[in-house]
Amino acid sequence: MAKAKVTELSFPEMLLASRFYLELILDGNKGDGDVIFLECQGFKRHQEAIEFAEVTPGQWANAKFGQVRRTKMPGNVKTDNIILRRGMSKSLSLWEWFASVEAGQWGDQLREGSLVVYNQAGKEQVRFNFRGAWPVRYSIADLNAQSSDIEIEELEMAVEQFVRVEPEDTSQN
């Protein structure tokens, strides 16, 4: 998977006060102008517990039938949607990705990629690889010209699977 190289010159000013930042790396991405995020939700994988009851032949107490035993076993693994937030940029790539899915090109827009967490020095700390990602929702915060707040752009991605892997060695970069 090709990794977009984020240089010091491309860091938005708001990163200077952050303790870490996230990079979204998508296969087929055209550049590195839209890869930095400061907030992420949805790093959740969970396994359903399937409970079933069985009646054993042994009788207990005054019951006419056997003893009921309940057992739990692992079921399907589910991955939650991943929600990424950042200060709005002039890049259209996330919007265009969403619009392509909305226009019915869903199968062509499934992406593999990574979410990488970096420390302030730009050293990779944590990496999650995902597959089967596509945008579910794109939104921006309410706009108020009298506010000094940063306008927030949000992308929610459905992912078929994500796994945590060893960070790549970035000492050679």
Side-chain angles (χ1 to χ4, degrees):
M1 188 175 318
K3 180 178 186 275
K5 176 75 173 143
V6 179
T7 63
E8 289 181 32
L9 297 175
S10 67
F11 281 175
E13 208 172 297
M14 63 186 165
L15 291 180
L16 298 177
S18 301
R19 291 183 292 173
F20 66 90
Y21 63 95
L22 296 147
E23 179 181 24
L24 173 65
I25 303 167
L26 291 172
D27 282 353
N29 212 18
K30 295 176 185 172
D32 64 356
D34 63 342
V35 296
I36 303 299
F37 290 85
L38 297 179
E39 191 176 334
C40 182
Q41 294 177 340
F43 285 114
K44 295 179 187 158
R45 278 181 60 85
H46 49 94
Q47 194 159 8
E48 294 179 342
I50 298 173
E51 185 174 323
F52 62 94
E54 61 182 335
V55 179
T56 61
Q59 289 188 343
W60 59 285
N62 294 329
K64 293 182 182 180
F65 304 103
Q67 185 176 9
V68 176
R69 298 214 184 243
R70 295 197 178 276
T71 305
K72 291 185 180 183
M73 62 182 284
N76 293 329
V77 174
K78 291 186 177 182
T79 301
D80 288 1
N81 290 349
I82 296 173
I83 301 169
L84 297 161
R85 289 186 187 96
R86 67 174 182 190
M88 187 180 290
S89 74
K90 64 181 181 178
S91 171
L92 292 174
S93 64
L94 295 179
W95 172 257
E96 289 169 350
W97 187 30
F98 177 79
S100 294
V101 171
E102 185 179 39
Q105 299 169 0
W106 174 78
D108 297 334
Q109 298 304 316
L110 290 176
R111 301 278 179 87
E112 292 184 4
S114 299
L115 279 168
V116 183
V117 179
Y118 295 91
N119 64 15
Q120 282 181 322
K123 182 168 173 32
E124 185 172 324
Q125 301 296 301
V126 179
R127 177 178 286 262
F128 292 92
N129 290 339
F130 57 82
R131 67 175 176 80
W134 55 279
V136 173
R137 181 173 50 91
Y138 174 91
S139 63
I140 59 172
D142 294 340
L143 300 172
N144 182 350
Q146 297 176 343
S147 172
S148 62
D149 292 342
I150 296 172
E151 297 308 325
I152 302 297
E153 182 177 34
E154 183 175 282
L155 178 73
E156 181 176 347
M157 296 186 311
V159 294
E160 291 176 5
Q161 182 181 38
F162 80 87
V163 294
R164 186 171 176 174
V165 297
E166 288 289 322
E168 290 184 2
D169 182 15
T170 57
S171 61
Q172 299 169 359
N173 296 340

